[in-house]
Amino acid sequence: MATMTPSTFDPLLQYVNVRLQQGVPIVDADWNELDDVRKFELRAFLKWYVGDGIPAGNDGFRVVGGLDNDFTIAAGVPPPPGGTSPAEAGLRHTGRIIVDGIDVIVAADVRYAAQPLHVSQPGAAALATRLGVPVAAALTTPGSAATLTAYLDVWERLITGDEEPDLVHSGLGVESCARMRREWVVRVRPGTAVPAPGQSDHIPGHIYYPLATLNRRGGVATIAVTDVADRRGRGLLLPPAHLIADTVGGDPLAYRRGENRPVVSLRDAINALIAGRLPSTSDLPVSPGTGNDVLRRAALLDSTGGLVVVWHSSRVSNINQVFAARLDLARPDSGFSAAVAVTSGTTANVEPTAVALPTGDLIVAYPTVVAGTTDVVMKRAALGGLPGVGTQNVAAVSGTSDQSPHAVLAGDRVVFLSHQGSTNQWTYRRYDHVATTFVDTAPVVLSTVTTTVRDLHAAASGSSVWAAFVEGTNLHGLRLNAADGTVGATTGPLALGAPADPFVLALSANDAMVFLDAGDNLRVISATGGAWGSATVIPGTDTNDTQPAAVRDADGTIYLFYQRLLSGSDNEIVLRRRPPIGSDWSPPQLVTRHAANDQRPHPVLVPGQGIWLVFMSNRTGNFDLYATQILTSI
């Protein structure tokens, strides 16, 4: 046992040193207080000016999933290089974390259940009693979804010669100075917080720090990698706190946790701006697979802030089916979810359109082959429930094909527009998503034009649904009131040469814009106060520019995307901007830069994130879908 004077250190006395005097005895309390002063000064610096977390170049105490009711506590460091001394290797090549000003080290990867204090380990109970702490509890398969926190429990204790024989002086046979040892164990508890004073699992003098959140799934033993959310501070390097606020406009503590960080480096962003481009991220694959993936206008934001992409592909048995995938925009680095097969079987299902409802459900509509013709049907469910839910008829005319559906959300109404094959007319049918019933018992003719009517696009603002479609060499535009089914603000036929690919941008109940490929250039037509203007050429466009699509941000800037043929079959996606004041379009900016056919751009405006652009590319051989984030503000 150790015989020593109780600690005399009191930080509130603000002693910063112990000075030895001549002719006075040296007692243990003086020596120990000197050590306590030095330790307090260092710990205060680390706690208040460095903070909690792991240093740059280190990944200590990372919680790694992939095991059944268990996880790995990773040291997260590379092996020491050859020639490194053991002492240097032990310091530089170990995982570490600063917690409340204390440096904690993990020398090697260890499983949670393999810790000496884990209840399953031999001698764990006796060790816990000797250390005066509880054992680490075992994880079990939860009966229902649960949120747990994996956290670090750190404390220090006295080591004497009774426990450590090396502390006994071999020549004298008596104890030398005692030591203090830093101990740690990783524990798990329900919820998202660590133990707090007054709670049964809080031990005075212990330090607790959250390492990760474990999102357990009901009835599932495996803690998947995607079930683990890292909560450690990362990349500690002592920058002044105002540097973070000045450069990225975020809170320094949130920045340490990996929040509010720019998705591209400031260097890359500045270089892009100098070159006259908007900064953008690397292309993110949506769901690569065999067979061509074909995108229509079916990329949208869901009610919980996810980017959902719906497409058709022949990746299974060479039969076209409808698929969907989702990107959590709060964690885009995690990538798109695995593709959900919305349809399956031996019948082809193609040309999907989709809307997101405020309830969290998605409505996906598509033509399906019935008795040699196609009928437009829909499914309604949350993303994961779409494969198992039944279909409802949207447009089904016996003996003729109903094709090319397009769905928009206008208030409480989902308006389905589809092409009726026998009459060459566009029809509409309204669905009340609150009452879950169709307002129209059958499709209603939208336009009396009957000569080869195709290429429709529509968008909604409030209860107004603006639509534009191509009829031969002409373009038609109109406004449908989703509440009462009246059609107004019609225009056309506007003779435009060889119009194709109209894209409608709904600005308000009375204002809209239509972008289109006129054959020899791109043009825009505006409706103001319900009256349509004339077609205006977008300068700098020609026969090589097709498939326009656009969004407008809250400030009124319009962002126009289109496909440009550069050489052969090398198509790239181009971006143009028009400010809210004036009518000048910015010079073209290449968004995609690949020796491939990139096409069918579809932009989605995301508040606070800029624009997410979804498009097709055959850069891997067959067409796959990709998404990239374009920053409109930093």
Side-chain angles (χ1 to χ4, degrees):
M1 61 176 293
T3 303
M4 62 183 68
T5 304
S7 175
T8 59
F9 175 67
D10 181 354
L12 296 180
L13 295 176
Q14 300 187 57
Y15 293 153
V16 296
N17 212 326
V18 177
R19 309 302 293 173
L20 180 62
Q21 301 183 69
Q22 295 181 5
V24 300
I26 300 176
V27 297
D28 66 312
D30 293 338
W31 177 286
N32 293 337
E33 185 168 337
L34 173 62
D35 184 58
D36 288 341
V37 167
R38 289 288 172 246
K39 179 181 178 183
F40 176 80
E41 293 277 296
L42 176 60
R43 182 176 175 185
F45 168 74
L46 293 174
K47 176 178 180 177
W48 297 110
Y49 297 98
V50 176
D52 294 340
I54 56 174
N58 200 285
D59 203 16
F61 289 94
R62 179 165 57 93
V63 173
V64 182
L67 302 172
D68 288 353
N69 291 318
D70 199 359
F71 54 83
T72 299
I73 306 158
V77 291
T84 302
S85 68
E88 183 182 5
L91 291 175
R92 293 181 55 193
H93 298 279
T94 54
R96 61 201 320 144
I97 192 170
I98 295 176
V99 179
D100 202 39
I102 288 178
D103 185 24
V104 187
I105 293 175
V106 54
D109 294 358
V110 59
R111 284 177 34 241
Y112 169 75
Q115 298 178 103
L117 276 173
H118 190 271
V119 66
S120 66
Q121 295 299 309
L127 176 60
T129 300
R130 180 163 61 86
L131 299 180
V133 298
V135 297
L139 293 173
T140 58
T141 302
S144 58
T147 300
L148 308 176
T149 294
Y151 65 96
L152 190 62
D153 177 4
V154 183
W155 71 100
E156 293 178 346
R157 67 185 185 92
L158 187 70
I159 303 292
T160 68
D162 295 337
E163 181 178 351
E164 181 55 68
D166 286 346
L167 298 181
V168 177
H169 195 287
S170 59
L172 300 177
V174 296
E175 288 188 62
S176 62
C177 293
R179 305 288 194 272
M180 294 295 294
R181 173 177 290 168
R182 191 162 293 156
E183 304 279 5
W184 64 266
V185 65
V186 173
R187 302 183 185 277
V188 175
R189 73 193 306 258
T192 60
V194 298
Q199 295 180 332
S200 60
D201 54 352
H202 180 273
I203 303 175
H206 283 229
I207 300 167
Y208 303 102
Y209 183 75
L211 298 175
T213 297
L214 309 179
N215 297 305
R216 301 299 308 271
R217 293 165 290 157
V220 178
T222 301
I223 302 175
V225 172
T226 54
D227 295 335
V228 179
D230 193 1
R231 294 175 61 184
R232 303 166 302 157
R234 300 185 290 280
L236 306 186
L237 269 182
L238 283 182
H242 65 76
L243 179 63
I244 297 171
D246 291 346
T247 53
V248 298
D251 176 71
L253 295 179
Y255 188 88
R256 276 207 186 103
R257 294 192 297 268
E259 302 169 8
N260 301 326
R261 295 188 175 180
V263 294
V264 299
S265 72
L266 291 179
R267 178 189 178 96
D268 290 344
I270 293 171
N271 284 337
L273 294 173
I274 290 174
R277 297 184 289 106
L278 289 179
S280 61
T281 63
S282 299
D283 296 344
L284 184 65
V286 173
S287 178
T290 58
N292 286 325
D293 295 338
V294 180
L295 176 71
R296 290 183 75 227
R297 304 296 186 189
L300 59 148
L301 281 180
D302 66 18
S303 62
T304 57
L307 176 64
V308 178
V309 181
V310 185
W311 72 96
H312 75 251
S313 174
S314 58
R315 61 178 60 186
V316 178
S317 301
N318 203 33
I319 300 174
N320 278 318
Q321 300 293 348
V322 178
F323 295 87
R326 181 182 186 273
L327 176 68
D328 183 353
L329 294 180
R331 298 184 59 195
D333 55 332
S334 62
F336 277 85
S337 65
V340 172
V342 177
T343 65
S344 59
T346 57
T347 295
N349 300 283
V350 295
E351 294 187 310
T353 182
V355 296
L357 301 180
T359 60
D361 281 352
L362 298 173
I363 288 181
V364 178
Y366 52 91
T368 187
V369 179
V370 177
T373 61
T374 57
D375 292 336
V376 176
V377 298
M378 79 166 193
K379 286 188 172 189
R380 173 178 176 170
L383 177 60
L386 286 171
V389 74
T391 61
Q392 291 180 261
N393 278 332
V394 174
V397 179
S398 178
T400 187
S401 290
D402 299 283
Q403 304 164 322
S404 306
H406 190 83
V408 294
L409 180 63
D412 291 339
R413 305 281 171 86
V414 177
V415 180
F416 298 95
L417 301 110
S418 55
H419 182 255
Q420 212 284 315
S422 63
T423 63
N424 263 330
Q425 292 176 321
W426 281 99
T427 62
Y428 72 86
R429 194 179 183 195
R430 295 168 295 158
Y431 171 79
D432 188 324
H433 71 80
V434 177
T436 67
T437 57
F438 279 97
V439 178
D440 307 301
T441 57
V444 180
V445 174
L446 181 69
S447 169
T448 58
V449 178
T450 60
T451 55
T452 316
V453 180
R454 298 302 295 270
D455 285 359
L456 176 142
H457 185 253
S461 179
S463 62
S464 292
V465 178
W466 294 92
F469 58 90
V470 172
E471 171 253 327
T473 61
N474 300 312
L475 180 81
H476 295 258
L478 54 83
R479 180 179 58 189
L480 169 68
N481 188 322
D484 59 19
T486 58
V487 176
T490 58
T491 186
L494 298 176
L496 295 169
D501 297 323
F503 186 93
V504 177
L505 184 60
L507 306 179
S508 70
N510 295 308
D511 305 284
M513 303 176 76
V514 178
F515 298 88
L516 69 143
D517 172 13
D520 53 355
N521 49 44
L522 298 184
R523 303 186 192 186
V524 59
I525 304 173
S526 295
T528 305
W532 290 89
S534 58
T536 302
V537 174
I538 297 175
T541 61
D542 54 33
T543 57
N544 294 315
D545 301 318
T546 58
Q547 298 176 356
V551 292
R552 187 180 72 160
D553 68 12
D555 294 330
T557 299
I558 295 173
Y559 298 86
L560 172 65
F561 299 84
Y562 53 90
Q563 171 185 318
R564 168 167 288 183
L565 179 64
L566 296 183
S567 63
S569 60
D570 184 4
N571 287 295
E572 303 291 354
I573 307 300
V574 174
L575 165 63
R576 305 282 293 276
R577 286 172 284 159
R578 196 184 81 176
I581 299 176
S583 58
D584 293 335
W585 290 92
S586 69
Q589 166 192 339
L590 280 179
V591 177
T592 59
R593 295 171 294 279
H594 303 92
N597 187 352
D598 295 344
Q599 60 176 257
R600 298 200 180 184
H602 187 84
V604 179
L605 187 68
V606 181
Q609 292 197 18
I611 300 168
W612 277 89
L613 182 72
V614 185
F615 59 96
M616 296 168 50
S617 176
N618 65 351
R619 67 191 63 170
T620 61
N622 60 286
F623 277 102
D624 291 316
L625 306 186
Y626 296 87
T628 186
Q629 183 180 358
I630 299 169
L631 305 184
T632 57
S633 63
I634 297 177

